[in-house]
Amino acid sequence: MSFLTEFLKTRGAGPDPSAPSSFGGLSDEQLERHLKVATYGDFTLTDAVRPAYDLRVVPKAGYRRDHFVDSASGVRVPVLMAAASRENLFELFLDLLDPLGDEVDVVLESSHAAGKSGHKDLVREGIDLPVLKSALYDYEEEILDDGCLGIAVLNAKVPLEVQFDEHKLLVMYGQDLFEFEKVLFEHRLTRDDGMKFVTEAEHVHSSTDELAEAFSQLSYEISAEA
C-alpha cells in the first residue's frame, strides 16, 4: 500500500510526531473516557482508531476529491477519499469493489508487529471477486475493528484500486473514478473537498492479539502470501 503511505503522510500518532501530544497530562480516567467515545453526532467510529483528545478533526461521514503525484514517475493520479459511519462502512467497501471487475488482486497489510519488523504485506493475485467478498464477509467485525489491518484491492488492467486502510478510511484512485463516485452517491455520502480526516491530526490505533490471529486466518483462507 505504498501509494497510500506516501499520499497520507500519516502513520502512528499523526502528521507531526514531534508536536506536543493532546494526550499528555491526562489522567487514566480522562483517557479511558475519551477512548470509549465512538459516536460523534450521527457518525460512529469502529474500534480501530480514536481521534486526538483535543478533537482538532471531528470524525464525520463524507468524501473529497484529491490527487496523488507519484514521486517516481511524476504522474498525477486522481483520488477519492471517503469516511463512513460504522453501520454503513463495510457494505460501502464491498460495493466499491464492483467497478474493479470480476477478477482482482488483493494485498493484506499488517502492522501488528510494527515495533519488531515493520509492516507486512501479503498478496493474492487473480482471485474471483465473489470469492474474495465471501471471505471478507466472514471477518467483517475483525476487519472493521483492527487498527493494524489494511486491505488494498486492485485491477492492474484497468487500472483502478480501492484501499480500506488501517484507519478504516476508503481511498480510491485511478484515472477514471466516475463509477466509484456513483457508489458513494448511492450510499448518500456528501462531497466536501475541504473535509479533513482523522489521519490528518493526532490519533491512536487499536488492535488485539485476537485480531492479529484473525488476520492470519483471513490470509490463509484467501491464500495470500508474502
Side-chain angles (χ1 to χ4, degrees), residues 98-154:
D98 291 337
L100 298 176
D102 296 330
E103 185 176 278
V104 297
D105 301 332
V106 59
V107 180
L108 300 181
E109 182 189 66
S110 164
S111 61
H112 295 99
K116 301 175 183 177
S117 58
H119 286 71
K120 177 172 67 174
D121 287 349
L122 302 178
V123 181
R124 165 66 193 273
E125 296 180 343
I127 185 171
D128 290 339
L129 185 57
V131 173
L132 175 61
K133 283 188 175 185
S134 178
L136 295 177
Y137 263 123
D138 289 341
Y139 291 89
E140 176 178 352
E141 297 302 313
E142 290 84 354
I143 291 170
L144 287 175
D145 288 331
D146 192 348
C148 292
L149 165 64
I151 303 173
V153 186
L154 62 146

Side-chain angles (χ1 to χ4, degrees), residues 3 7 64-69 75-81 159-161 171-178 180:
F3 274 92
F7 176 65
R64 80 181 188 210
R65 288 184 182 179
D66 216 311
H67 68 275
F68 165 81
V69 179
V75 174
R76 180 185 173 101
V77 182
V79 174
L80 294 174
M81 292 187 64
L160 294 170
E161 182 164 343
V171 183
M172 299 128 269
Y173 58 86
Q175 290 301 328
D176 184 0
L177 301 176
F178 176 72
F180 292 135

Side-chain angles (χ1 to χ4, degrees), residues 15 21 39 48 51 60 62-63 116 130 167 182 207-208 211 213 220 226:
S21 172
T39 302
K60 67 175 185 176
Y63 77 96
K116 301 175 183 177
H167 311 88
K182 279 177 57 179
S207 188
T208 64
L211 291 173
E213 177 59 29
Y220 176 79

Side-chain angles (χ1 to χ4, degrees), residues 55 126 130:
L55 290 177

